[in-house]
Amino acid sequence: MSAKKDDKKKIKETEIDETVNQQPDSAEESHSEKEPSELDKLKEENAALSDKYLRILAEYDNFRKRSQKERDAIYPEAVASAVEKILPVMDNIDRALAADCSDAEFKKGIELIKQSFDDALSKLGISEIKAMGEQFDPNFHNAVMHVEDDSAEENTIVEVFQKGYVLGDRVVRFAMVKVAN
């Protein structure tokens, strides 16, 4: 009989061991929840790198747009500055055309030079400010003289001393004019 008791005891111990082995240890379970698996670590690292990549891409795009705006702003300023230095030459050519000349060929040559200057300015986007007979506009005209003239309307430009030029909306040089009051 004692052999049967020993067998029953061994069977019960085996069943208890299997039951204990099947139930997860609460300490192990909580430990595995706290520590992320290798896959979770890689997913987090991937998300961080993706975020960093997108931020760098956005910064580069902003830099590119800012640089383009700066270039677009610099070009008209440079053109206006260069043209402003050349305009006195244009004024002298206009004065030469206004002077009396007995040599028709010489005058024709000056007219061709004037036409070349006008074409070059036109290609750069520079245009002359309309002044003679127009209403005085302080945004485009610089009144250096006033005259009482009954034949002209009030604030009408009656004489242009120096032509004015614009580049788009930017005034390169104001027109110097005489205004009737």
Side-chain angles (χ1 to χ4, degrees), residues 68-88:
Q68 184 64 37
K69 276 184 183 178
E70 288 173 359
R71 270 185 260 129
D72 291 345
I74 288 172
Y75 178 74
E77 188 66 33
V79 168
S81 178
V83 167
E84 193 173 15
K85 305 291 189 264
I86 296 172
L87 289 179

Side-chain angles (χ1 to χ4, degrees), residues 38 40 49 65 77 88 108 110 114 133 151 169 180:
E38 186 69 27
D40 290 339
L49 289 174
K65 288 177 183 176
E77 188 66 33
K108 185 177 181 180
I110 298 293
K114 166 92 167 96
S151 64
D169 293 337

